[in-house]
Amino acid sequence: MKLYGYWRSSTSYRLRCALELKGIAYEQEPVNLLESAQRGEPYVARNPFATVPMLEAEGRDRAQSMAIIEWLDEKYPDKPLLPADVEYRYLARELGYAIATELHAPLNLPVLKYLKNEFGQDQDAIDSWYRHWLAKTLVPVEKRLEALDTGDFLFDKPGLFEAVLIPQLYNARRFGYSLSDHPRMTQIERACMRLPEFERAHPGNQPDAH
Amino acid sequence: MKLYGYWRSSTSYRLRCALELKGIAYEQEPVNLLESAQRGEPYVARNPFATVPMLEAEGRDRAQSMAIIEWLDEKYPDKPLLPADVEYRYLARELGYAIATELHAPLNLPVLKYLKNEFGQDQDAIDSWYRHWLAKTLVPVEKRLEALDTGDFLFDKPGLFEAVLIPQLYNARRFGYSLSDHPRMTQIERACMRLPEFERAHPGNQPDAH
């Protein structure tokens, strides 16, 4: 498998976490978002969404990180990212998809560029925007974790939810969002960061990190 | 089951399509987004995301439409929304999640309100924003459909992808986005709109439509 990604892209980071947790070997091919390499040929012919990550696997160029994570778990049932129980699967997906659907898009680089270039917003306004949407989703995720009385992980070991959460917390810190009212998710973060899988997936440890 | 939703919310519409396709009976309880009912008590205590839809089902208040759709398909295997084949499941999810993750959030009502209230953007600017993000995802979805040489549906019958697509096309029309370069998805739309399931799920046919 070959992963086309960018070291600091949260969806690339998410997919690296998932691949590492499943113990699947992959090569990496960096795509430089700052140089808009994702919109150049031949990349865009393979991935018309012009996004990272893209996973070349089993004869197909796969372009959407959540769909890829679900596929990995169905295609390679070893080391599952979702629990076996249908109700627990729902809980992991509710929290994972909350972050992936509500939170990812307004914080995505093309959106931030649009705010700057089309709406003339300065960095302070963009930082406030970023923190506003982080709070809107991370606060209720924290409430759900509290109701579930989580410990080091959502369930007994990290999986889909943790693969989505950890990159978003990395982003939250970059944008100065305070996690002090989020003890449940920061406990999960600390537990994950002690694992070699998350260490290997970290942006700072990627070939294109700078 | 009881569905808390809003007639014109695309995620409520998406979940109605899924429930109808699965043939699952449900009651409806409208939540008036224009009066911010989703942020009032007791709703927000049950759904801390303060969003619609919420599905009360099997003893839990379920809050994320894509997680609910996946859960419905696992809990009630009759009339599946995803095909059985792992590769086809990937394809349906790639296109469905592209719309749900990339496209939903920047077009969501709270985001549009933020652009108006915090960034002082007028309706023309907001309409351009809306159409910009529609194009960024719908154009590559159309390309994927073309590569798959689709007919009336993504596969042999409508499922997860169509439940996500149809509400987004309804939104696209509302915001004056031209679908003339999207023959594959409009063929799917026409085929779906001939089915009683999609007719019943349509915003205009909900108890709170006005």
Side-chain angles (χ1 to χ4, degrees):
Chain A
M1 288 190 194
K2 191 184 276 189
L3 174 64
Y4 295 75
Y6 181 66
W7 64 294
R8 220 153 63 166
S9 134
S10 64
T11 47
S12 304
Y13 185 3
R14 171 193 299 171
L15 189 49
R16 291 194 302 267
C17 293
L19 288 162
E20 294 286 352
L21 286 171
K22 289 200 76 74
I24 294 175
Y26 59 101
E27 290 173 74
Q28 289 209 54
E29 180 79 31
V31 178
N32 193 330
L33 299 188
L34 301 184
E35 294 173 358
S36 300
Q38 80 281 12
R39 287 203 293 275
E41 295 294 352
Y43 188 83
V44 78
R46 297 175 60 183
N47 173 11
F49 295 99
T51 49
V52 288
M54 172 173 80
L55 187 70
E56 184 189 319
E58 304 279 351
R60 190 178 300 279
D61 294 323
R62 300 170 196 272
Q64 292 290 333
S65 64
M66 296 310 296
I68 295 171
I69 288 175
E70 297 275 0
W71 174 76
L72 287 170
D73 227 29
E74 293 184 349
K75 182 82 180 170
Y76 310 99
D78 244 25
K79 302 192 181 180
L81 298 171
L82 284 167
D85 179 80
V86 169
E87 189 64 19
Y88 285 5
R89 294 166 75 84
Y90 172 75
L91 292 171
R93 285 189 176 120
E94 181 184 85
L95 300 182
Y97 284 128
I99 294 173
T101 60
E102 291 188 4
L103 192 48
H104 170 65
L107 310 189
N108 207 5
L109 195 58
V111 168
L112 304 183
K113 277 189 181 165
Y114 194 106
L115 298 179
K116 186 177 168 195
N117 298 333
E118 305 297 324
F119 292 164
Q121 297 300 316
D122 63 15
Q123 195 57 45
D124 276 359
I126 291 173
D127 287 356
S128 296
W129 158 278
Y130 206 102
R131 290 192 294 262
H132 175 85
W133 300 115
L134 280 167
K136 185 172 185 301
T137 298
L138 292 187
V139 169
V141 168
E142 180 73 19
K143 278 202 172 45
R144 289 292 215 211
L145 295 176
E146 200 183 313
L148 294 167
D149 193 21
T150 53
D152 277 356
F153 306 112
L154 176 59
F155 301 118
D156 59 330
K157 55 181 195 272
L160 177 143
F161 170 65
E162 287 80 4
V164 174
L165 176 70
I166 299 305
Q168 206 51 261
L169 296 184
Y170 170 84
N171 269 354
R173 293 182 194 285
R174 274 182 67 205
F175 277 79
Y177 177 84
S178 168
L179 289 163
S180 60
D181 292 334
H182 298 65
R184 300 276 173 175
M185 59 179 70
T186 50
Q187 180 178 349
I188 293 174
E189 186 188 30
R190 282 193 305 275
C192 287
M193 294 319 294
R194 286 194 291 267
L195 301 176
E197 290 86 349
F198 284 91
E199 175 68 15
R200 285 192 296 267
H202 192 275
N205 296 330
Q206 305 316 307
D208 53 335
H210 56 79
Chain B
M1 289 192 193
K2 191 185 275 189
L3 174 66
Y4 295 75
Y6 181 66
W7 64 293
R8 221 153 63 165
S9 133
S10 64
T11 48
S12 303
Y13 186 3
R14 172 193 296 171
L15 188 49
R16 292 194 302 266
C17 293
L19 287 163
E20 294 287 351
L21 286 172
K22 289 199 76 72
I24 294 174
Y26 59 100
E27 290 173 73
Q28 289 209 56
E29 180 80 31
V31 178
N32 192 331
L33 299 189
L34 301 184
E35 294 171 359
S36 300
Q38 80 282 10
R39 287 201 295 273
E41 295 294 353
Y43 189 83
V44 78
R46 298 175 61 183
N47 174 10
F49 296 98
T51 48
V52 288
M54 172 172 81
L55 188 70
E56 183 189 319
E58 303 280 351
R60 190 179 299 280
D61 295 322
R62 300 169 196 274
Q64 292 290 331
S65 64
M66 296 310 295
I68 295 171
I69 288 175
E70 297 275 359
W71 173 77
L72 287 170
D73 227 29
E74 293 183 347
K75 181 81 180 172
Y76 309 98
D78 244 26
K79 301 191 182 180
L81 298 171
L82 284 166
D85 179 80
V86 169
E87 189 62 20
Y88 285 6
R89 293 167 75 84
Y90 172 75
L91 292 171
R93 286 189 177 119
E94 181 184 86
L95 299 182
Y97 285 128
I99 294 173
T101 61
E102 292 188 3
L103 192 48
H104 170 66
L107 309 190
N108 206 5
L109 195 59
V111 168
L112 303 183
K113 277 189 181 164
Y114 194 106
L115 298 180
K116 186 179 169 194
N117 298 334
E118 305 297 324
F119 292 164
Q121 298 300 317
D122 62 16
Q123 195 57 44
D124 276 358
I126 291 173
D127 288 354
S128 296
W129 158 279
Y130 205 103
R131 290 192 294 261
H132 175 85
W133 301 114
L134 279 168
K136 186 172 184 299
T137 299
L138 293 187
V139 169
V141 168
E142 179 73 20
K143 275 202 175 42
R144 289 292 215 213
L145 295 176
E146 199 183 314
L148 294 166
D149 193 20
T150 53
D152 277 356
F153 306 112
L154 176 58
F155 300 119
D156 60 330
K157 55 180 195 268
L160 177 142
F161 170 65
E162 286 80 4
V164 174
L165 176 70
I166 299 305
Q168 207 50 262
L169 295 185
Y170 170 83
N171 269 354
R173 292 181 194 286
R174 272 181 68 204
F175 278 78
Y177 178 83
S178 168
L179 289 162
S180 59
D181 291 336
H182 298 65
R184 300 276 174 175
M185 59 180 68
T186 49
Q187 181 179 348
I188 293 174
E189 186 188 31
R190 282 193 305 274
C192 287
M193 294 319 294
R194 284 195 293 265
L195 301 176
E197 291 85 350
F198 284 91
E199 176 68 15
R200 285 193 296 267
H202 192 275
N205 296 330
Q206 304 317 307
D208 53 336
H210 55 81

